[in-house]
Amino acid sequence: MNKKELMLSVILAVAITGLVIAGWLALVNAIGLIGVACLAWFYRKDQINRWIKAGLFFLLMPLVFWVATYRPEGFSYPLLFTLPGTEVGESGFELYVNFAKALVGLVLLLLLWHKPRGDEFVAAPRWQFLSALFAPAIIIAVAIPALGLALEPKLIEQIVLFALVNLLVIAVAEEAFMRLLLQQSIRNAAASLGAQRWVQELFSLVVVTGIFVLIHSGLTGAAVWVYALAGLLYGLSYTLSKNVCYPIMIHFWVNLIHFALLTYPIPS
């Protein structure tokens, strides 16, 4: 472990300890976060045996998901605001700051950050830029009629708070998990089996798009296809660039535009 990694470890330990003491992070999630950091640190090493690497992947994947989503009974993350339901008696939207999810995303981002290798496909910069530029508009344009979204602007202070949580908790954590841990790992596994480069990229993109839809439980009807489109375009931006910043940026803008201007959450 070099000095930079040691410093990051100390910062992470201090942050986790402070959040637990403040009552903003459950102790069991804090322990899980330490496990994620340790596993990710070993997993990123190229020189380890591929079977050990596969074992680390199948330990890390469910642990990351569990730490980010598990909320012990009686524990609650800080609540920033609540939106009333659209129907009488309907529960509204509540924006919590899920610190476990934020920290697990940050750990994956720092430890699994990917630099493209010579044998990997990377599109020309203009295609990377165009994918990031047009993807949010395409997703929103499809979602409005498909999901029956109406114009419902939110208050400025609500938009600002949502933007911060959206970036630091939702977009970073979900895209670090989906792209750096899942999509890149599946692509690498396909490459190690001798698959052609287009097969490596297409297979990992399709599989992870399916996983993206599955982890958003409760989707029915048109919502399934809208989420599939979103997951596909997030993943495509990573396929073209091998830079996780692109899917993070697209995910951020799709969520922010949806929240700030349209019916939120998606009508059931």
Side-chain angles (χ1 to χ4, degrees), residues 155-243:
L155 299 175
I156 292 297
E157 54 266 34
Q158 293 173 337
I159 294 173
V160 171
L161 290 174
F162 181 87
L164 291 172
V165 174
N166 178 35
L167 175 62
L168 301 176
V169 178
I170 302 172
V172 167
E174 292 187 10
E175 293 307 318
F177 174 67
M178 299 301 300
R179 311 306 152 200
L180 299 180
L181 182 56
L182 295 185
Q183 188 170 344
Q184 187 62 46
S185 296
I186 294 171
R187 180 265 160 205
N188 291 346
S192 69
L193 295 174
Q196 295 182 358
R197 193 163 65 172
W198 71 269
V199 175
Q200 302 166 17
E201 303 295 346
L202 182 61
F203 178 71
S204 60
L205 175 59
V206 171
V207 170
V208 175
T209 298
I211 295 173
F212 180 82
V213 174
L214 289 174
I215 65 174
H216 289 85
S217 59
L219 297 177
T220 58
V224 174
W225 301 106
V226 172
Y227 272 77
L229 174 64
L232 180 67
L233 292 181
Y234 299 158
L236 180 61
S237 71
Y238 185 77
T239 297
L240 295 175
S241 67
K242 297 300 183 293
N243 185 341

Side-chain angles (χ1 to χ4, degrees), residues 107-118:
V107 167
L108 293 180
L109 197 66
L110 293 174
L111 293 180
L112 301 185
W113 184 275
H114 179 70
K115 293 182 179 180
R117 302 168 184 171

Side-chain angles (χ1 to χ4, degrees), residues 152-155 159 162 255-262 264:
E152 291 184 5
K154 310 304 185 297
L155 299 175
I159 294 173
F162 181 87
N255 286 354
L256 184 60
I257 293 169
H258 179 195
F259 173 82
L261 301 176
L262 303 168
Y264 197 93

